Amino acid sequence: MNGQFKWHKYGLIALSLIGFVGCQSLPAPETKQPAKPAPTEKQDIKTPSGVVITPYEREEIQRKKMQVVVPEQQRKQQFEDGRKLPAFQKLMQKVQQAYQQGQWNEAEAAALQAQRLAPQSAETFLYLALIANKKNQPANAEALAQRGLSYAQTNAMKKQLWLVILKAAQQQKDPKSIQQAQKALNSL
């Protein structure tokens, strides 16, 4: 009987410890939250016309940096500028024919139409710059060629655009632009 009482006694002690420990709870870990400004008393604003404006509290807008992940397929793919569109190709043929025949206005109109179809095509900027040079507008020609350089993908296209810039700079007698164009042509 003494052995039974002993185990009974230990069981009661264990149960009471479990109950006692289970009833106690640890405080939840504190998380730091941004301090909110003390609530200000909302005051109604009355306008001369009798309209009452009640301002409301806005939460603060927070900026977060987002990471943009570009799939590897897209990174390797060459920049698509619209040159493959059949309508663009037809218009560029029309531009070339009109340019070769000295019809500057027709060539310019067709090049502008082609540019609307493929606004990032360096080829349209090249022809528009060439036409501007033929129309004795060297400043415009240089600006168009510079814009075309930002879209040029091949060294051949870059070279043609730099040649237009060089010619326009020579017409304007701009030594800085001439030197810049010659330096760029030598590096290509």
Side-chain angles (χ1 to χ4, degrees):
M1 174 109 180
N2 201 7
Q4 252 183 344
F5 179 71
K6 198 178 203 180
W7 284 108
H8 209 317
K9 183 177 170 184
Y10 288 126
L12 282 175
I13 292 172
L15 282 175
S16 60
L17 278 174
I18 292 171
F20 181 71
V21 171
C23 289
Q24 290 183 353
S25 63
L26 295 173
E30 291 184 30
T31 57
K32 291 192 176 190
Q33 294 182 357
K36 290 187 178 180
T40 57
E41 198 173 304
K42 293 182 182 177
Q43 296 179 354
D44 292 341
I45 302 169
K46 294 184 180 182
T47 61
S49 63
V51 177
V52 178
I53 301 172
T54 306
Y56 60 93
E57 204 172 300
R58 294 185 194 169
E59 291 184 27
E60 184 178 336
I61 298 173
Q62 297 178 352
R63 294 182 185 263
K64 293 182 180 179
K65 288 188 175 184
M66 295 184 68
Q67 183 178 5
V68 178
V69 179
V70 179
E72 199 170 320
Q73 246 181 0
Q74 287 181 349
R75 265 187 266 148
K76 290 181 180 177
Q77 194 175 32
Q78 192 178 24
F79 179 69
E80 181 58 46
D81 59 5
R83 287 182 293 158
K84 294 179 183 175
L85 294 172
F88 174 80
Q89 292 172 352
K90 282 185 179 180
L91 281 169
M92 288 311 294
Q93 286 175 353
K94 188 176 176 181
V95 170
Q96 291 168 356
Q97 288 172 351
Y99 183 81
Q100 289 170 354
Q101 295 171 359
Q103 299 170 339
W104 313 131
N105 291 333
E106 288 81 7
E108 184 177 30
L112 288 171
Q113 276 186 313
Q115 190 178 41
R116 288 186 194 107
L117 292 174
Q120 296 177 339
S121 171
E123 192 176 2
T124 57
F125 285 101
L126 173 65
Y127 273 100
L128 287 170
L130 288 169
I131 294 164
N133 258 344
K134 293 291 184 177
K135 288 181 158 186
N136 200 21
Q137 300 169 346
N140 191 20
E142 185 175 354
L144 287 164
Q146 288 283 358
R147 183 85 186 266
L149 278 173
S150 65
Y151 300 119
Q153 296 178 29
T154 64
N155 283 342
M157 180 59 72
K158 289 177 185 176
K159 185 174 182 176
Q160 289 180 327
L161 289 162
W162 277 114
L163 286 170
V164 172
I165 292 170
L166 178 62
K167 185 174 180 180
Q170 288 169 343
Q171 286 178 340
Q172 296 177 81
K173 297 179 180 139
D174 183 1
K176 185 179 175 184
S177 293
I178 292 171
Q179 185 180 10
Q180 181 185 14
Q182 287 172 338
K183 185 178 177 183
L185 285 167
N186 289 336
S187 69
L188 289 176

